[in-house]
Every structure is written in structure tokens, then in C-alpha cells.
């Protein structure tokens, strides 16, 4: 298919040509943000790991969004130790809260609580060593629900392109094909129903 559209594979030892499209796995290569020797880089390439780590780490992501003035696009998030010192951690009002591993994916290591104080109590029980790497996250209220009453998870591929004019604000293009997966159980504020709050719960492995 690629050959039919004029694409061809470039040997990694051939420094004479720079491919327009280069998309290795994260473990295959550490894609730089800019060339160290001033030479060209592939036009379409992954973000460097030093940047994607900030997106993967829930604590770092929340910090950078707040710093950029976009805190409202992300659930309120605290590092475990910061949360224990926060006034909100002592609120008894019924409200959904999560404890998550900062680098957890696919719902691994996610725990749901019926109030901020319940999440705080669990962190205190874990002790400094046990809560290392955890974040506390306020549930989004009211949650966006599918027509059948379920919460949902969405993944999308986006392409950021810097404008030729030198404008530092990039253009963002979102691929029309997105992944939307409904939770395994219709939404309920009952935190004991994990499948209503955690995307991977209730789905076959």
C-alpha cells in the first residue's frame, strides 16, 4: 500500500535522506525535540520522551496545565503528600474521589472513594512509603454520560504542526477516527460499583 503511494523504506544507516514520516515505538528511539547538530529531522515524528513523560504522569500533567492557565480542562489533581495538607482533604461531603498511580494506565491501581476524607484516610493508612507515586483526583461532576447512562473513555490521535510563519502557536489536527469505550456499568454514585467509575472494570480482559 505504501509503495503504491510512492513511499519507500530508508535504511537507518543512510544519512543522505531524511524520511518525512518516522514513527518508532518509544522503546526503539529517543526522538529529540530538535536536532543537536542543526540537521533536518523527520517532519512527522513522535514527541520526545522528556515531553511525553509530562503527559503520562498525572501529577506533572496537572501541574503544567495549571501553569499554562488551563487547569479547568483537567480534573483537580494533587500529589498524595500535597493532598494530605490540603483543606479539601478533610471535607466529609459525599463526592466521588480517586486515588491513582501517577503513571498508571488502563485503570490499573485506581481506587474509588465516596468523599475526600475517605481518600485521605486511606492515604494515611498507607503511610509515606505506600502512598509514594499516588495522586488524589476529584471526580468530574456531573459526569458526561452516554445515552445509555454510562460514563465513557475516549482516545484520539492528534497532530501538532508549527506554522511556517514562525508563530509559536501550533495548529492541531484531530484524526476523525477516535476510540470511545463505555464503562462496564451504568453510572451510579455508589463507589462500590467499580465498573461504573473505572473504564477497565467490568470489561473482559
Amino acid at each position: 500500500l505504501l509503495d503504491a503511494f510512492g513511499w519507500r523504506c530508508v535504511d537507518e544507516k543512510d544519512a543522505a535522506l531524511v524520511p518525512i514520516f518516522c514513527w518508532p515505538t518509544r522503546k526503539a528511539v529517543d526522538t529529540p525535540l530538535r536536532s543537536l547538530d542543526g540537521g533536518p529531522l523527520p517532519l512527522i515524528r513522535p514527541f520526545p520522551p522528556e515531553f511525553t513523560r509530562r503527559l503520562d504522569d498525572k501529577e506533572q500533567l496537572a501541574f503544567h496545565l495549571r501553569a499554562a492557565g488551563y487547569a479547568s480542562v483537567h480534573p483537580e489533581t494533587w500529589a498524595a503528600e500535597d493532598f494530605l495538607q490540603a483543606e479539601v482533604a478533610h471535607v466529609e461531603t459525599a463526592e466521588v474521589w480517586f486515588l491513582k498511580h501517577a503513571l498508571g494506565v488502563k485503570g490499573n491501581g485506581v481506587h474509588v472513594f465516596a468523599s475526600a476524607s475517605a481518600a485521605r484516610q486511606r492515604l494515611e493508612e498507607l503511610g509515606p512509603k505506600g502512598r509514594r507515586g499516588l495522586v488524589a483526583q476529584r471526580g468530574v461532576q456531573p459526569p458526561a454520560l452516554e445515552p445509555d447512562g454510562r460514563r465513557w473513555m475516549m482516545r484520539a490521535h492528534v497532530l501538532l504542526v508549527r506554522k511556517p510563519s514562525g508563530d509559536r502557536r501550533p495548529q492541531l489536527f484531530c484524526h476523525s477516527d477516535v476510540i470511545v469505550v463505555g464503562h462496564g456499568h451504568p453510572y451510579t454514585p455508589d463507589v462500590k460499583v467499580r465498573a461504573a467509575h473505572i473504564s477497565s472494570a467490568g470489561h473482559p480482559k
Side-chain angles (χ1 to χ4, degrees), residues 6 9 13 15 22 26 97 101 104 106 116 138 140-141 155 193:
C9 183
K13 297 179 181 179
C22 178
R26 292 188 185 185
W97 281 79
H101 285 288
K106 299 180 180 178
R138 188 198 298 266
V140 176
Q141 293 294 333
R155 294 287 185 270
V193 185

Side-chain angles (χ1 to χ4, degrees), residues 5-172:
F5 284 90
W7 292 73
R8 68 186 180 90
C9 183
V10 177
D11 191 285
E12 61 182 11
K13 297 179 181 179
D14 183 0
L17 295 172
V18 177
I20 292 178
F21 182 92
C22 178
W23 206 265
T25 65
R26 292 188 185 185
K27 294 182 179 180
V29 63
D30 186 352
T31 311
L33 182 62
R34 54 181 61 87
S35 175
L36 297 178
D37 60 5
L41 287 170
L43 179 63
I44 301 175
R45 59 190 186 275
F47 283 121
E50 66 181 78
F51 181 84
T52 57
R53 277 193 291 268
R54 300 175 188 176
L55 302 180
D56 294 337
D57 187 317
K58 298 175 182 65
E59 179 187 349
Q60 285 291 308
L61 177 59
F63 171 82
H64 288 289
L65 285 173
R66 287 196 301 270
Y70 294 107
S72 62
V73 305
H74 188 267
E76 292 181 82
T77 305
W78 289 260
E81 296 299 335
D82 294 338
F83 178 70
L84 290 174
Q85 304 301 319
E87 184 176 339
V88 70
H90 299 270
V91 175
E92 301 283 348
T93 306
E95 185 180 21
V96 175
W97 281 79
F98 298 91
L99 291 183
K100 304 178 178 181
H101 285 288
L103 296 173
V105 295
K106 299 180 180 178
N108 294 324
V110 178
H111 304 277
V112 195
F113 298 87
S115 67
S117 61
R120 172 182 55 80
Q121 181 179 348
R122 179 55 180 156
L123 287 173
E124 291 174 342
E125 292 170 352
L126 289 172
K129 186 176 181 179
R131 58 180 176 254
R132 188 179 304 157
L134 294 180
V135 297
Q137 196 170 78
R138 188 198 298 266
V140 176
Q141 293 294 333
L145 303 178
E146 291 186 317
D148 63 358
R150 299 169 191 264
R151 291 185 61 189
W152 47 275
M153 174 275 295
M154 182 176 75
R155 294 287 185 270
H157 289 91
V158 298
L159 178 66
L160 286 176
V161 179
R162 180 169 292 180
K163 299 177 183 178
S165 62
D167 190 335
R168 293 183 61 86
R169 295 173 299 177
Q171 293 176 296
L172 185 147

